[in-house]
Amino acid sequence: MRCVRLHAPRDLRLESAPDPKPGPRQALVRVHSVGICGSDLHYYEEGRIGSNKMTVPFVLGHEFAGTIEGVGEGIDPARIGQRVAVEPGTPCFVCEHCTRGEYNVCPKMAFPGGPGHDGALCDFMAVPAEFCFPVPESMGHDEAAAIEPLAVALHSVELAGMRPGDTVAVLGTGPIGLLIAMAARVSGAVTIYGADLLPYRVAAAAACGVDHACDASKEDTVEAIFRATGGRGVDVAFDAARSSETAALACRVARPGGTCVLTGISGAVEDPIPVEVARRKGLTVRWCRRFRHNYPRAIALVSAGLIDVKKIVSHSFPLERTPEAFALVSRAGDRVLKASIDF
Ligand SMILES: [Zn+2]
Ligand SMILES: [Zn+2]
């Protein structure tokens, strides 16, 4: 089969690899669509995310969807032909965290598209059949691939313990921030503030339902949100940026007693947090680690038309043009939000 392998930062090559075979309880999925994620971009640009560093070439991609073309032992062959969104990552299923339902933090998680585990930028993936979630015919493969970042957004909103009528700030209105804004809205957010350094992403925020989008390249985000909220701050502040500064901003724009959810990945091992601000306000700060149990609800929300993931997919490229797609996302060219590889 074909695959696109990362050999070194900014060095992606179209190569071939043996076709995988589905093992027990696995499905063989023909991949049709892979979304490029901010985390893929860290490997593409830096060859690492914090301490997780690439040592040998590997295949990127973990936001994917396709069609089941084969099944391993123990899986009903009637599933062949199903169009599915695939929840990436195979936890061990038996450790303390897995049995508690918190499988997203399983220490033995095998997550595709990171060092040591080839990802989905290839023709076939063998994955646990229970993580292959059927999607309706009306949902495009690119939309089905975007269920993955939507699952991240839903998990973020759940961690916030949002209540109807909450005010929200989303720092960083790239694809994840926009999906968080949409997820926050259906969770009852009454006013959503957004901020981004890229003017076209400020405009995208308004198009995705953000009520007040702040151009952080021109105005101070904290001042803008304080002005708009009469100095109170917001109930929930989400950090959805690839920045070392936004965790601190989230703490500053949250109201006393409010909640911060840190979802963005800066790529650094340590980022500054204003502990005095956080302590005096008595903030609850939570970190989002991917998702757990979110796929069925993400698919239901999109199927019901309550969240439109098409709003974040701005570009489509065939597999052989993957290097071009990464270069575009890396330079934030052509007003790109999410680039999708469709094949
Ligand atoms: Zn992702
Ligand atoms: Zn486990």
Side-chain angles (χ1 to χ4, degrees):
M1 66 170 181
R2 301 170 301 163
C3 68
V4 177
R5 217 173 259 126
L6 182 72
H7 281 255
R10 297 181 192 277
D11 180 4
L12 286 166
R13 301 179 201 170
L14 183 66
E15 296 179 337
S16 59
D19 286 359
K21 292 217 174 1
R25 305 213 59 81
Q26 283 191 326
L28 182 71
V29 174
R30 176 180 283 276
V31 180
H32 289 304
S33 193
V34 183
I36 298 179
C37 175
S39 60
D40 295 319
L41 213 54
H42 279 299
Y43 290 119
Y44 172 77
E45 291 175 347
E46 299 133 38
R48 66 193 300 163
I49 295 181
S51 57
N52 202 6
K53 207 174 166 186
M54 73 181 284
T55 50
V56 294
F58 71 103
V59 179
L60 286 169
H62 58 271
E63 303 180 358
F64 67 107
T67 307
I68 295 183
E69 285 206 356
V71 291
E73 202 190 308
I75 300 302
D76 186 352
R79 295 203 63 182
I80 292 170
Q82 272 182 357
R83 298 172 66 251
V84 292
V86 182
E87 177 172 338
T90 307
C92 80
F93 295 109
V94 296
C95 74
E96 176 194 349
H97 317 288
C98 283
T99 51
R100 207 181 253 185
E102 296 169 354
Y103 65 88
N104 59 317
V105 291
C106 173
K108 294 200 175 126
M109 173 71 84
F111 198 82
H117 302 283
D118 280 338
L121 282 165
C122 62
D123 288 309
F124 294 102
M125 288 288 279
V127 292
E130 68 216 84
F131 282 173
C132 295
F133 294 90
V135 297
E137 280 299 322
S138 57
M139 191 184 291
H141 289 299
D142 55 344
E143 289 175 84
I147 293 298
E148 198 270 1
L150 178 56
V152 174
L154 294 185
H155 185 45
S156 301
V157 165
E158 287 170 5
L159 289 171
M162 278 191 60
R163 294 187 309 170
D166 274 348
T167 52
V168 163
V170 181
L171 308 175
T173 53
I176 286 288
L178 297 174
L179 290 170
I180 287 176
M182 292 190 257
R185 182 68 79 195
V186 298
S187 304
V190 67
T191 309
I192 303 176
Y193 302 92
D196 203 283
L197 285 165
L198 297 170
Y200 79 88
R201 293 195 170 187
V202 177
C208 287
V210 171
D211 301 293
H212 304 279
C214 160
D215 183 341
S217 69
K218 295 206 184 84
E219 61 180 323
D220 184 280
T221 304
V222 180
E223 267 174 33
I225 291 176
F226 273 26
R227 206 183 317 119
T229 59
R232 173 184 181 270
V234 294
D235 296 301
V236 182
F238 294 97
D239 170 13
R242 288 203 320 144
S243 161
S244 285
E245 287 153 42
T246 36
L249 285 185
C251 294
R252 294 189 196 284
V253 301
R255 69 160 166 87
T259 300
C260 298
V261 179
L262 310 181
T263 304
I265 300 173
S266 74
V269 175
E270 293 185 19
D271 285 326
I273 298 249
V275 288
E276 191 197 13
V277 171
R279 180 178 63 80
R280 287 188 192 277
K281 286 190 194 172
L283 296 180
T284 299
V285 182
R286 306 199 69 180
W287 273 265
C288 177
R289 180 60 165 159
R290 299 181 185 135
F291 36 72
R292 53 179 180 240
H293 312 294
N294 300 98
Y295 261 61
R297 275 170 299 123
I299 292 167
L301 284 162
V302 174
S303 305
L306 289 165
I307 289 181
D308 183 4
V309 291
K310 286 198 291 287
K311 285 185 172 163
I312 63 148
V313 183
S314 60
H315 289 69
S316 172
F317 291 85
L319 186 67
E320 53 277 15
R321 287 173 60 198
T322 300
E324 210 182 307
F326 271 84
L328 176 80
V329 179
S330 178
R331 65 172 192 277
D334 195 27
R335 302 173 69 87
V336 69
L337 294 172
K338 184 169 292 293
S340 172
I341 309 297
D342 301 296
F343 50 105

